[in-house]
Amino acid sequence: MAKTGLLSSDPTVRARAVELKKELQRLVKTIVDDEDYTIHTVDQAKDALCALRELKFNKRSTVPTTTTTSSLKLHEALSCPEEFKCPLSKELMRDPVILASGQTYDRPFIQKWLNAGNRTCPQTEQVLSHTILTPNNLIRDMILQWCKSQGIELPNPVMDGKEEGVTEAERDRFFSLLDKLCAALPQQKEAAKELRMLTKKMPSFRALFGESVDAIPQLLTPLSGSKSESCVHPDLQEDVITTLLNLSIHDSNKKLVAETPMVIPLLMEALRSGTIETRSNAAATLFTLSALDSNKALIGKSGALKPLIDLLDEGHPLAMKDVASAIFNLCIIHENKARAVRDSAVSVILKKIMDGVLVDE
């Protein structure tokens, strides 16, 4: 005789279970078959498993008559309009925000995507000109209206600020890599490359830099210790500057990174002398740091607009978007507008417009 319970007696829950199993099957097949699968796919598979576990765990329960988190999620998944669902979570959005690509996502899920070091739109794969998230108040109001008509209450948006935990072994590895940056060139290159990779993939490693006052100065040792730019190995410079970019993505690091004395001068040096990828990443770092108004003022006073404008004038396609975004963001505050004019921004920008280059930007 078949067991009775929520999964066997409630058709909506059975339908949800079938939907989840199909989704899980698709995701697992992607992970197994595609060597290039993304972390996002793994997260989606994990979320589908958790949802199945919740259904299984509640199988002896009765269907709740009041609005609980579980019943709300179930109701959302089965009846909410598609345009109200986050493309990443497939659930009703609590805090819809607009990405630079124009796509709307629920803030915690797209923030997690950005915190993982991604600089593309998950849906369109478009490279993002910036990572600022703009509240989509229209969609938010429409969702609230829909919830009201359904007799359910939308929970207040909650940002999940927790980072993945760091093991003692990972923490020891972190400090070991920082020590290597003070060693000979081969050890410096090895350590810088690994830190670049770890800070791109693991938000927890980005957070570690904020826990130690000496961490960022140690990261900069290979660059700040050189007497001339010719002494800096190009790959080493690229890895250190890109690590700074990864760190600056972490919101709680922005002020710390920008106010570390050697950061902005070394970014300016990288804008002038690095490989084109280094120069582009230096511009992207300045753009990301300039999300804070206090950093905008600090970067402007340092004289960073001049090398940014010079790089824009050069017109290398790999660097153009990051440079244009950085200049735009810095010029939001009044004092930087005057600095940009003094540094010939107007003539350079007009030339780009007349050449039909990045006209919208």
Side-chain angles (χ1 to χ4, degrees):
M1 180 182 293
K3 294 180 180 179
T4 60
L6 187 60
L7 284 179
S8 58
S9 62
D10 191 316
T12 59
V13 179
R14 288 203 306 273
R16 175 59 174 155
V18 170
E19 180 185 329
L20 283 169
K21 287 178 181 179
K22 285 181 179 177
E23 178 69 3
L24 184 59
Q25 188 177 38
R26 181 186 68 79
L27 292 166
V28 171
K29 187 175 187 305
T30 300
I31 293 168
V32 172
D33 294 346
D34 187 356
E35 292 184 5
D36 239 0
Y37 69 88
T38 65
I39 294 174
H40 174 56
T41 305
V42 177
D43 288 339
Q44 283 183 307
K46 182 176 69 175
D47 292 342
L49 273 173
C50 289
L52 270 175
R53 183 182 182 279
E54 186 179 349
L55 288 178
K56 187 74 172 174
F57 181 76
N58 291 329
K59 70 177 181 180
R60 293 184 181 88
S61 305
T62 57
V63 178
T65 54
T66 57
T67 303
T68 63
T69 301
S70 298
S71 63
L72 177 58
K73 282 186 176 180
L74 184 61
H75 190 277
E76 292 164 8
L78 296 170
S79 62
C80 125
E82 285 298 316
E83 59 268 27
F84 295 167
K85 292 181 183 179
C86 173
L88 297 177
S89 68
K90 308 299 182 187
E91 294 176 359
L92 186 66
M93 291 185 282
R94 269 72 169 173
D95 189 7
V97 292
I98 305 170
L99 199 58
S101 62
Q103 302 296 315
T104 296
Y105 298 90
D106 204 1
R107 185 186 294 272
F109 296 95
I110 192 60
Q111 191 66 64
K112 182 178 178 182
W113 169 264
L114 296 173
N115 286 347
N118 297 297
R119 285 180 61 80
T120 57
C121 173
Q123 281 187 289
T124 66
E125 298 185 355
Q126 173 185 339
V127 176
L128 302 175
S129 59
H130 60 78
T131 56
I132 297 169
L133 301 176
T134 306
N136 191 330
N137 294 322
L138 176 61
I139 290 293
R140 168 80 176 167
D141 289 344
M142 291 170 68
I143 290 172
L144 289 172
Q145 280 294 114
W146 178 82
C147 287
K148 186 176 179 181
S149 71
Q150 299 297 310
I152 57 179
E153 185 177 349
L154 186 68
N156 289 328
V158 177
M159 269 297 293
D160 183 7
K162 296 179 180 178
E163 300 291 354
E164 298 172 21
V166 182
T167 66
E168 280 305 309
E170 289 171 337
R171 195 178 293 274
D172 289 344
R173 182 62 180 157
F174 171 72
F175 288 111
S176 170
L177 290 171
L178 289 180
D179 288 341
K180 283 187 177 181
L181 290 172
C182 301
L185 181 61
Q187 286 81 16
Q188 287 181 336
K189 290 172 65 178
E190 176 192 337
K193 187 171 288 295
E194 188 168 348
L195 282 169
R196 173 181 179 170
M197 179 194 70
L198 290 170
T199 52
K200 177 181 179 181
K201 293 183 176 180
M202 298 178 65
S204 53
F205 265 80
R206 298 199 282 271
L208 277 174
F209 274 88
E211 294 179 11
S212 170
V213 293
D214 296 325
I216 296 176
Q218 279 185 272
L219 171 68
L220 301 177
T221 301
L223 307 187
S224 57
S226 298
K227 299 297 181 186
S228 70
E229 62 188 56
S230 60
C231 296
V232 181
H233 191 282
D235 292 344
L236 180 57
Q237 184 189 36
E238 184 179 310
D239 286 335
V240 171
I241 294 298
T242 307
T243 301
L244 278 178
L245 171 59
N246 296 339
L247 296 182
S248 67
I249 292 169
H250 196 87
D251 284 343
S252 59
N253 282 345
K254 292 186 191 300
K255 187 175 176 64
L256 173 66
V257 172
E259 293 183 358
T260 298
M262 288 304 298
V263 165
I264 296 175
L266 287 173
L267 288 172
M268 291 167 60
E269 187 60 49
L271 286 171
R272 299 186 186 99
S273 66
T275 64
I276 192 58
E277 185 171 347
T278 301
R279 300 171 83 190
S280 178
N281 286 346
T285 306
L286 289 170
F287 163 71
T288 307
L289 293 174
S290 66
L292 300 182
D293 283 347
S294 60
N295 286 352
K296 288 184 181 73
L298 187 64
I299 294 166
K301 286 177 186 175
S302 71
L305 275 162
K306 177 61 176 170
L308 283 168
I309 293 165
D310 289 344
L311 186 51
L312 181 67
D313 192 22
E314 284 184 37
H316 197 291
L318 282 179
M320 290 280 280
K321 279 234 175 189
D322 286 322
V323 174
S325 298
I327 294 171
F328 169 81
N329 223 30
L330 289 169
C331 287
I332 289 174
I333 64 171
H334 182 72
E335 53 266 38
N336 283 344
K337 293 174 185 175
R339 292 185 180 111
V341 171
R342 285 198 302 269
D343 290 332
S344 306
V346 175
S347 59
V348 172
I349 291 168
L350 284 174
K351 183 176 184 298
K352 296 302 170 190
I353 291 172
M354 287 187 289
D355 292 343
V357 177
L358 293 180
V359 174
D360 291 342
E361 287 77 3

